[in-house]
Amino acid sequence: MKEVLGLLVHVPTLSTVLFGMGTLALIGFAPMFTLRLILLVYPPDDDRRRELLAELYTLKRTEQMWWVGQQAATMLFDGVPARLRHMRRRRTERELAPSGVSRLVRSLVKALQVIEKWRAIEKSTTTRSP
Amino acid sequence: MRRTKSLVKIALVMMSDPHGQYWGYDLTRQAGVLSGSLYPILRRMLEDGWLTDGWEDPATVSDRPPRRYYELTDKGRAALGATLAAARRERRFCELNWGFAG
């Protein structure tokens, strides 16, 4: 009994137990909310988001908790790779076509700014000289 | 695609009715595969052209959002047939319930 009480007073153990119980309660009482949190890992345009939410509606209340728990694993093996692919795709898209154009536009704007500066300097020198 | 036990279980279910429509949750129950294995396999099968997907007609469902279903393509039927034929010869798959597919 003393050891059990000792474990309960032990802060890391207590916080782990409370965290576990909190997670279970969250999945049990708010499965839809938990699933929506899990689905945030998927890229915004991924059909899996809609699919898993729709699947949850077809389940009985007793099955929902188990199903949502499973989706945490699905998120790891399906959602995280999908998110990484999405990030990589966006990065390459940014690096390729649009960035080339934007770099060109930026350098053109810089060149125009320099020309304007020269003109302003020229104007000021011509107005001063007479 | 790598011939895993999960893939063979899914193939067994899908090839029992190769022209049917399948839903994710039903597949997990029928095949006895956890959704953590099922959905990555379904994604790969979609990318390889083994499956097509679609959504239920919203007019037919009233109290819930439409579900996504999967159907085998000709390529998928051929590929899963070949997967099952190869798996039947392998020892590690002998404890699976082959049913009519065997």
Side-chain angles (χ1 to χ4, degrees):
Chain A
M1 191 66 192
K2 246 186 179 177
E3 284 124 9
V4 176
L5 280 174
L7 271 176
L8 280 177
V9 180
H10 190 235
V11 176
T13 314
L14 189 65
S15 52
T16 309
V17 169
L18 284 176
F19 179 75
M21 283 167 68
T23 309
L24 278 179
L26 191 67
I27 295 174
F29 290 116
M32 186 67 76
F33 174 71
T34 318
L35 185 65
R36 280 180 191 274
L37 281 183
I38 289 170
L39 292 180
L40 287 178
V41 172
Y42 286 88
D45 56 342
D46 201 318
D47 281 339
R48 193 75 79 213
R49 281 190 175 195
R50 271 173 68 200
E51 180 184 6
L52 293 180
L53 267 181
E55 293 280 354
L56 186 71
Y57 277 94
T58 62
L59 305 184
K60 289 179 205 153
R61 183 81 192 170
T62 48
E63 288 173 326
Q64 284 184 349
M65 189 178 161
W66 173 237
W67 168 257
V68 171
Q70 274 190 45
Q71 296 326 303
T74 309
M75 173 201 73
L76 279 180
F77 297 112
D78 192 40
V80 172
R83 170 63 75 172
L84 290 176
R85 268 198 303 271
H86 175 76
M87 282 164 63
R88 221 174 296 140
R89 198 178 62 226
R90 281 193 63 189
R91 202 190 312 137
T92 36
E93 277 172 7
R94 235 180 289 139
E95 277 169 11
L96 289 173
S99 66
V101 172
S102 63
R103 245 182 247 157
L104 188 72
V105 169
R106 238 180 284 146
S107 52
L108 276 173
V109 168
K110 258 189 185 173
L112 283 171
Q113 282 171 345
V114 171
I115 290 168
E116 271 184 0
K117 259 187 190 173
W118 283 346
R119 274 185 183 171
I121 293 165
E122 259 184 9
K123 256 189 186 176
S124 63
T125 48
T126 49
T127 47
R128 264 184 226 158
S129 57
Chain B
M1 203 182 294
R2 212 156 58 87
R3 210 168 31 250
T4 57
K5 208 173 259 186
S6 301
L7 177 67
V8 174
K9 282 179 178 175
I10 293 165
L12 273 170
V13 172
M14 288 188 133
M15 290 303 281
S16 64
D17 180 11
H19 296 277
Q21 290 183 344
Y22 293 95
W23 284 270
Y25 179 65
D26 292 337
L27 268 176
T28 56
R29 287 186 64 178
Q30 288 175 34
V33 176
L34 291 174
S35 54
S37 313
L38 177 85
Y39 286 110
I41 289 176
L42 287 181
R43 190 184 288 274
R44 254 176 281 145
M45 286 166 88
L46 273 170
E47 284 167 0
D48 291 352
W50 293 13
L51 290 178
T52 54
D53 63 335
W55 294 88
E56 276 182 315
D57 183 9
T60 58
V61 289
S62 55
D63 54 340
R64 59 176 174 79
R67 284 188 295 173
R68 188 187 190 183
Y69 63 80
Y70 298 93
E71 281 175 329
L72 280 172
T73 58
D74 290 337
K75 187 183 174 188
R77 278 186 279 273
L80 286 189
T83 302
L84 287 181
R88 224 175 289 141
R89 289 191 295 270
E90 283 186 53
R91 246 183 153 191
R92 62 189 169 126
F93 299 120
C94 63
E95 85 261 21
L96 295 180
N97 180 19
W98 285 92
F100 290 113

